[in-house]
Amino acid sequence: MTQSGARSEADHDDPTAPATNPAAAHAAGLVIGHLFAHGEAGRTELATASGLGRSAASALLHRMLERGVLVEDDAAERARGGRLSLAVADRLLLTAGIVGDDAVATLTELDGTEVARYEEPALVEDDERPGPAAALDALAQVVERTIAQAARDERGIATLAVAIQGAVAGSPELAVLDDALGLEPIDVVSALRARSARLADIEPELAAPPTLISTPTADAVAEAARRSAAVLLHLTGDTQVAAGIAIGGMAYRGAHGLAGTFGHLPVVPDGVRCACGQRGCLTTVASPGPILERAELREFEVQYGRRAALEELATRIAAAEDRARWAWLDAALWIGRALQVVVPTIDPDVVSVGGWWAPLAGDIEAAFRDNRPALGGGALDAVPRIVPAATAGFAAATAQARERLRASLVAAAA
């Protein structure tokens, strides 16, 4: 099934847009979800999974076969009650993104099992932080390698998801306020297409169009499901200061995709000028660069990379090393102040803290509770709960890519 077959052009702005017939979409979603988990099934099994009566289920499965969402085994088997599977059942999900110092790309089965992973350093000369061109070059290399691996295994690609730390805005989707890819809006998929001949070759055959996924937002959705939270705010500081919001179990991006741009809240009065042009953004005092600088770990970062430097910083904080502890508590102060602005605005019942910040969530909570108006000394004083997150961003992005593919198939089926 090609992109055009999977979804109408009008739906491309929202990969999870509901199908026209809600009841049919719900039943089709149950069938597709069952096949994502089990690979193939007989008609009776799928009728049960759909929740429909016998005749309605038969009509639904017939329609899904006609539209190319499902396929049936050969005629000989069909005579004995053939089994059905998704047309994309043998395809793989490709997820790529910048993780720490590296560009990473993975191939996963539809059930979420990872089958291949490629990594490529995303540093530029002299061990400086990655620039947009260097990051895109490295991303293109790992995308090329994963597509080549799939071809060697005689497997197709169902869809490509690019995980970013910044926000996703506009149509076509653009990455914005991403430290690795640049603060200005950038069409990441077009940039990768221009750098990867293999991506350009396979793109017309994808079952769903390539998409960008904000990793903090994917984390927020995963954490909200895990904690049954109606409104959840997720914070992270691994690659940059970022946040994601989930409301009612769904990603909340705001009217323009900028709802989670937590790092660019101007919280420090008369602070230093941020790369975004504002003064005193949270990122200028709480992102990895300034914290490592204050902890006197900049040379360590240059020699061993940012991921290793943050691990060393966490070790020193746990050991109560003065310089590291001071550097972190200064950042935690400003993270807490930023939460004092955001929490009354969106009123989350849970704030989850991810990445290397997670074990230090107590320091963020202490900074948040300090200088906060009293709420009567009752239960409201503990609102919201601030907890360490259990999610890993890249895996959450892959899970969201899987859900977007499922939604695309549902739209085609119903």
Side-chain angles (χ1 to χ4, degrees), residues 156-183:
I157 304 294
T159 190
L160 163 67
V162 182
I164 67 169
Q165 287 292 316
V168 179
S171 178
E173 293 178 328
L174 304 175
V176 61
L177 297 174
D178 187 287
D179 283 2
L181 300 172
L183 301 185

Side-chain angles (χ1 to χ4, degrees), residues 15 17 88 91 129 131 153 164 213 270 280 324 348-349 377 380 385 394:
V88 298
R91 298 201 198 182
R129 298 308 305 155
D153 294 340
I164 67 169
I213 293 177
D270 300 319
D349 46 346
L380 289 179
R385 291 184 291 132
F394 199 78

Side-chain angles (χ1 to χ4, degrees), residues 235 313-314 316-320 324-337 339-340 353 356-370 386-388:
L235 309 179
L313 174 64
R316 294 187 185 188
I317 293 171
R325 187 71 179 155
W326 171 82
W328 161 246
L329 288 178
D330 184 69
L333 167 68
W334 294 112
I335 298 166
R337 293 287 175 86
L339 280 175
Q340 288 171 359
V353 180
W356 78 273
W357 288 2
L360 304 167
D363 294 328
I364 294 175
E365 178 163 25
F368 169 68
R369 305 290 177 197
D370 184 46
I386 299 180
V387 298

Side-chain angles (χ1 to χ4, degrees), residues 237-252:
D238 278 7
T239 302
Q240 65 184 72
V241 178
I245 302 169
I247 298 177
M250 303 292 290
Y252 178 73

Side-chain angles (χ1 to χ4, degrees), residues 119 184 227 316 355 394:
E119 299 187 5
E184 293 297 321
R227 300 179 185 280
R316 294 187 185 188
F394 199 78

Side-chain angles (χ1 to χ4, degrees), residues 11 40 50 92 147 159 174 216 244 246 265 302 306 351 358 400:
D11 287 337
E40 63 176 19
S50 74
L92 300 166
I147 295 173
T159 190
L174 304 175
L265 290 175
V302 170
R306 176 161 289 183
V351 175
Q400 192 165 109

